[in-house]
Amino acid sequence: MVTMRPDYLLSQLDVLEAESIHVMREVASEFERPVLLFSGGKDSIVMLALAERAFAPAHIPFPVMHIDTGHNFPEVINFRDRRVAEAGARLIVASVQESIDSGRVAEETGRWASRNRLQITTLLDAITGHRFDAVFGGARRDEEKARAKERVFSFRDEFGQWDPKNQRPELWNLYNTRINREEHLRVFPISNWTELDIWDYIARENLEIPSIYFAHTRQVFERDGILLSDGPFMNRGDDEPIFEASVRYRTVGDMTCTGAVASTASTVAEVITEVAATRVTERGQTRADDRASEAAMEDRKREGYF
Amino acid sequence: MDILRFATAGSVDDGKSTLIGRLLFDSKSIFEDQLASVERTSRDRGENYTNLALLTDGLRAEREQGITIDVAYRYFATPKRKFIIADTPGHIQYTRNMVTGASTADLAIVLVDARNGLTEQSRRHAFLATLLRVPHLVLAVNKMDLVDYKADAFERIVDEFSAFATKLEIGDLTFIPISALHGDNVVDRSPNMPWHDGTSLLHHLERVHIASDRNLIDVRFPVQYVIRPHQATDKALHDYRGYAGQVAGGVLKQGDEVMHLPSGLTTTVERIDTAAGPVDEAYPPMSVTLVLADDLDISRGDMICRPHNQPSASQDIEAMVCWMSDGRALTKGSRLVVKHTTRTVKAVVRDLQYRLDVNTLHRDENAERLGLNDIGRISLRTTLPIFHDPYGRNRQTGGLILIDEVTNATVGAGMITESH
Ligand SMILES: Nc1nc2c(ncn2[C@@H]2O[C@H](COP(=O)(O)OP(=O)(O)O)[C@@H](O)[C@H]2O)c(=O)[nH]1
């Protein structure tokens, strides 16, 4: 006899974790060549931790891939190498510099030059080259309007394109994983997590994160209301004076378009307090790439962006 | 803190986007830059107020056409709960979106315009919510400000809906009069409607009891993935063989005697591993890994249950289906792929018993096809048995999706009724 107890309750993190693990196992079961995208950012850190937990005590049954813009925070690259090795996974690095050198893409010029958009070609070339059929991404639906409508298993045609008006209905936890050759699926196991859930999970599981997520002193300058780190690829103008500030990052990406926020938070708990009180979205505050137009993300996603 | 998933449905202009915008805004889930962008767009459009509905307009096509065209998911939290909203548009042609959003919902809010009373579409939305067995239904009577917050407008709709509801199997039904635009009864009880003795909508969402909506009686564990570390060096791991999956029903305990299907062999649960280490018990929706006492031949698509409480195992399946393809119709003889729990099989439609008119609930037994957004009852014959329960008893082991073998599109959703 089952005795009914009122406490067969799960917290929101337990439910989200169970759902994400289910998605990862589904992919490992139904695809030949999955890959997990890993940037060293907090969302991919949670993804890697979930993958370890989904397949323990075995190793993660797929490789991990970083799309390297060459404009990285060095702390993040060190962290990436160490963490992926620790997880016993194979690391693939696909380099935007190589895409430029081989003439697949041309470097943007001017003050707003960024390699953010160039990543699309590098990513799609890597998917084709390695014949990946399922690509795990760490996108969350709370991040941005276009993401709010994307499926957990999101179909991409042979050109890597997303068609928002022609998506597969997704019911219960039953995911349609069928594709033809050359097509692939982008899979987003943490679709239903919010930024705060990510931080709560990092705290609960005591996950290590790169130092740039904590407050540190840095030489920065302001561009269009965003605090950017000074560096060789920044094309900083004379009207953009450098100053020193105590900052932390809310996302890590290409240095040229990832902004810092003023902060004094030096522990995960302090970061959570700041995040909970923040009145500006993560992307709006710190990503110059999403400011270009109201539909910036949707346009990039259609072409094959993360 | 737990999670409540809810779906919202309403006809165009009933105020669904405004309501969602209001819930997000009043629960302080709207960030300054989002609000600034909405204010800018409202101004550009020549609107003289900040149109909160714009907060939920996702894609460019929708912004251009000013309509919501697909299911979108929104998130907000209060100190009591985290909420996931499946925002499903209410156009006639989008039954498919409502069905999709309702499939995972704990609760559905059907919006009605107080001036118009119940419409065909409100009935359709309520019916779809019950077809998908959404355990809790809220009928939110909106735009009460436009009927001077009068009780009789509300009560007329309550009476009319209550009469209709007797034809449906509704678990739990709540009526709330609101004004999404002005915020009456959305977060706080409204002083404009002292005659209403119920709670506000958000209060209801925070308190509604959902823990017992799961089936905690019939143990169902569809095997999803077999974990074998194959590490010869580590003795402990060398022989590890774990069956990973998400618990679909019941409470599994360490030491329980369990049965494997299709073999019918029994064994004991030696260990239950989770992300957080071994646990004594597993229940829905936990993702766990079972280590069993005996070496059985178990693979993905198999089912683990209790010896005296088994699901039906059959190749003949009766189901209510919602057809979701605009390219192809369902007819007798249609060949399809069925995905049910972790098992994928081929199937043929043996019979289409009837097509249901979702407005009148009339059954058309002469129907020969189901087109986009049609709902009907069918018999399927699958190439292998599937281990299932009636959908009304377990949404996880009673639901299935239908896939087109050629285009790979998801063309239908099925709720299993009973089998022979
Ligand atoms: N007076 C009044 N107008 C409302 C209310 N809720 C929504 N509206 C208006 O009704 C129109 C349609 O609302 P919208 O939220 O876009 O409807 P949707 O199509 O269901 O998403 C808009 O002009 C809203 O401002 C309400 O409670 N009172």
Side-chain angles (χ1 to χ4, degrees):
Chain A
M1 255 309 285
V2 173
T3 42
M4 289 299 203
R5 294 196 331 222
D7 60 354
Y8 287 122
L9 269 185
L10 294 170
S11 74
Q12 109 268 17
L13 287 183
D14 292 330
V15 172
L16 293 171
E17 180 189 58
E19 180 179 285
S20 304
I21 288 176
H22 171 80
V23 167
M24 290 188 166
R25 289 171 172 168
E26 204 60 12
V27 168
S29 305
E30 301 222 327
F31 291 88
E32 306 260 313
R33 301 177 69 84
V35 67
L36 183 124
L37 293 177
F38 185 82
S39 66
K42 65 182 187 313
D43 299 320
S44 47
I45 288 167
V46 167
M47 293 271 290
L48 190 63
L50 290 166
E52 287 179 293
R53 287 156 175 70
F55 303 102
H59 282 317
I60 301 173
F62 36 76
V64 168
M65 181 161 77
H66 180 215
I67 305 300
D68 181 356
T69 60
H71 295 172
N72 300 295
F73 297 94
E75 301 90 325
V76 178
I77 296 296
N78 292 337
F79 173 83
R80 174 198 77 186
D81 293 346
R82 195 157 40 76
R83 192 60 194 84
V84 174
E86 206 175 275
R90 182 162 68 91
L91 177 69
I92 298 169
V93 178
S95 142
V96 174
Q97 186 62 50
E98 277 171 30
S99 304
I100 295 170
D101 294 346
S102 63
R104 295 281 297 146
V105 291
E107 185 98 83
E108 294 177 2
T109 53
R111 176 176 289 195
W112 301 100
S114 151
R115 290 185 166 181
N116 192 47
R117 198 160 194 130
L118 308 187
Q119 291 180 91
I120 299 174
T121 303
T122 309
L123 171 64
L124 294 179
D125 286 351
I127 292 171
T128 317
H130 291 275
R131 290 182 293 117
F132 291 129
D133 49 8
V135 181
F136 285 113
R140 309 186 319 265
R141 287 177 179 146
D142 79 323
E143 268 180 275
E144 206 279 332
K145 285 181 189 178
R147 298 231 198 253
K149 306 226 154 178
E150 187 158 20
R151 304 294 188 251
V152 177
F153 283 65
S154 187
F155 178 77
R156 293 293 186 281
D157 67 13
E158 70 263 49
F159 302 106
Q161 301 178 106
W162 180 56
D163 179 1
K165 290 192 95 165
N166 190 18
Q167 302 194 78
R168 294 173 174 176
E170 224 157 54
L171 296 107
W172 302 290
N173 61 353
L174 296 176
Y175 299 106
N176 176 354
T177 54
R178 291 171 67 100
I179 50 169
N180 291 320
R181 281 174 59 118
E182 319 263 291
E183 298 166 346
H184 72 273
L185 285 176
R186 296 287 172 86
V187 184
F188 303 107
I190 56 169
S191 288
N192 286 327
W193 298 52
T194 60
E195 185 184 9
L196 202 51
D197 293 327
I198 293 288
W199 282 111
D200 283 341
Y201 193 74
I202 287 170
R204 188 184 89 172
E205 302 292 305
N206 204 6
L207 302 182
E208 188 192 341
I209 55 175
S211 52
I212 64 166
Y213 277 116
F214 299 113
H216 55 284
T217 324
R218 189 176 275 270
Q219 303 291 319
V220 295
F221 65 95
E222 192 175 327
R223 178 178 289 170
D224 195 27
I226 293 180
L227 292 183
L228 294 170
S229 184
D230 192 32
F233 357 92
M234 301 305 291
N235 305 320
R236 189 170 55 82
D238 293 338
D239 55 338
E240 296 174 319
I242 290 202
F243 56 97
E244 195 175 86
S246 172
V247 297
R248 72 177 163 81
Y249 284 86
R250 277 177 88 178
T251 69
V252 305
D254 188 317
M255 276 183 88
T256 58
C257 60
T258 304
V261 294
S263 166
T264 53
S266 58
T267 63
V268 172
E270 285 169 12
V271 172
I272 291 175
T273 309
E274 284 190 6
V275 171
T278 305
R279 305 303 318 141
V280 182
T281 59
E282 183 176 313
R283 289 198 158 260
Q285 185 178 32
T286 63
R287 295 295 282 249
D289 46 331
D290 285 337
R291 292 232 181 145
S293 88
E294 242 214 283
M297 173 65 93
E298 183 181 338
D299 291 342
R300 271 178 295 139
K301 280 192 78 66
R302 281 172 181 273
E303 291 171 28
Y305 191 69
F306 302 113
Chain B
M1 192 160 82
D2 62 348
I3 297 186
L4 180 97
R5 294 175 206 249
F6 68 94
T8 52
S11 310
V12 183
D13 286 344
D14 281 350
K16 198 166 52 65
S17 312
T18 308
L19 175 64
I20 294 174
R22 167 67 56 192
L23 282 170
L24 298 178
F25 184 74
D26 285 354
S27 65
K28 309 217 166 21
S29 311
I30 299 301
F31 294 105
E32 281 163 12
D33 53 325
Q34 290 174 310
L35 196 62
S37 144
V38 163
E39 279 167 353
R40 206 164 44 238
T41 312
S42 291
R43 239 187 348 266
D44 292 350
R45 288 188 179 183
E47 286 162 345
N48 57 7
Y49 61 101
T50 300
N51 187 350
L52 290 178
L54 290 174
L55 282 169
T56 64
D57 272 0
L59 300 169
R60 169 177 281 186
E62 294 169 32
R63 280 196 299 282
E64 282 162 5
Q65 295 161 30
I67 52 156
T68 321
I69 52 168
D70 202 342
V71 189
Y73 294 86
R74 324 270 169 212
Y75 303 83
F76 72 101
T78 68
K80 299 223 160 46
R81 266 192 175 145
K82 168 175 168 135
F83 297 95
I84 301 180
I85 313 176
D87 177 5
T88 68
H91 307 257
I92 300 214
Q93 64 272 39
Y94 286 112
T95 294
R96 145 175 121 167
N97 293 334
M98 166 93 203
V99 167
T100 301
S103 73
T104 50
D106 302 303
L107 179 147
I109 300 176
V110 174
L111 252 98
V112 180
D113 185 326
R115 297 169 304 173
N116 305 341
L118 275 196
T119 61
E120 219 169 63
Q121 286 198 50
S122 339
R123 290 193 181 86
R124 166 200 296 263
H125 293 141
F127 167 72
L128 292 176
T130 55
L131 180 70
L132 272 292
R133 299 280 175 164
V134 179
H136 308 273
L137 185 66
V138 174
L139 199 80
V141 179
N142 189 30
K143 307 199 184 181
M144 288 301 294
D145 54 305
L146 297 181
V147 295
D148 300 324
Y149 298 108
K150 292 258 173 53
D152 56 338
F154 174 69
E155 272 150 18
R156 220 174 15 252
I157 293 172
V158 170
D159 291 344
E160 210 183 331
F161 189 83
S162 303
F164 170 69
T166 56
K167 294 196 230 169
L168 305 175
E169 286 181 61
I170 299 180
D172 162 41
L173 175 61
T174 307
F175 298 95
I176 305 179
I178 64 168
S179 167
L181 191 65
H182 300 294
D184 298 276
N185 283 340
V186 176
V187 172
D188 296 314
R189 287 193 55 175
S190 166
N192 294 322
M193 293 177 272
W195 45 264
H196 176 62
D197 51 15
T199 65
S200 74
L201 178 61
L202 185 64
H203 189 270
H204 181 66
L205 296 176
E206 287 183 325
R207 313 286 157 123
V208 64
H209 182 69
I210 54 169
S212 46
D213 295 339
R214 289 166 299 175
N215 181 326
L216 293 171
I217 297 175
D218 312 314
V219 168
R220 299 290 184 262
F221 186 76
V223 177
Q224 189 185 10
Y225 184 83
V226 182
I227 295 180
R228 299 219 56 185
H230 292 297
Q231 274 158 333
T233 44
D234 187 335
K235 257 184 91 189
L237 291 185
H238 185 73
D239 295 322
Y240 187 96
R241 187 195 277 253
Y243 302 102
Q246 192 167 21
V247 183
V251 179
L252 263 167
K253 293 191 171 70
Q254 189 190 18
D256 272 355
E257 186 185 29
V258 289
M259 176 179 274
H260 166 246
L261 296 175
S263 74
L265 298 172
T266 57
T267 179
T268 312
V269 177
E270 196 171 276
R271 250 198 20 234
I272 305 174
D273 284 336
T274 72
V279 294
D280 298 337
E281 300 181 311
Y283 42 91
M286 288 168 70
S287 279
V288 301
T289 304
L290 303 183
V291 177
L292 304 175
D294 300 286
D295 232 341
L296 306 181
D297 182 15
I298 300 179
S299 51
R300 174 173 167 85
D302 295 354
M303 178 73 82
I304 287 167
C305 61
R306 301 268 279 150
H308 302 294
N309 179 343
Q310 301 170 27
S312 308
S314 159
Q315 288 173 257
D316 291 299
I317 307 296
E318 301 281 311
M320 292 297 292
V321 297
C322 172
W323 193 248
M324 300 175 158
S325 167
D326 44 6
R328 171 188 177 187
L330 175 143
T331 59
K332 194 170 158 175
S334 290
R335 289 181 182 277
L336 295 159
V337 174
V338 170
K339 185 162 181 182
H340 170 264
T341 67
T342 55
R343 180 163 273 210
T344 304
V345 295
K346 291 188 178 178
V348 59
V349 177
R350 275 279 179 81
D351 195 18
L352 168 62
Q353 277 102 337
Y354 58 82
R355 180 173 61 213
L356 194 72
D357 181 324
V358 288
N359 298 319
T360 60
L361 304 186
H362 173 75
R363 297 172 177 187
D364 178 1
E365 292 176 3
N366 297 322
E368 291 186 342
R369 59 194 294 279
L370 294 182
L372 175 63
N373 293 316
D374 281 345
I375 287 170
R377 177 159 164 153
I378 63 166
S379 311
L380 282 171
R381 170 82 182 171
T382 57
T383 50
L384 280 176
I386 61 174
F387 309 111
H388 63 277
D389 295 291
Y391 184 77
R393 183 146 182 104
N394 189 323
R395 288 165 97 187
Q396 304 309 318
T397 54
L400 54 84
I401 57 170
L402 302 170
I403 299 168
D404 186 298
E405 241 184 315
V406 178
T407 63
N408 292 334
T410 303
V411 290
M415 282 70 64
I416 298 174
T417 47
E418 60 190 65
S419 60
H420 308 300

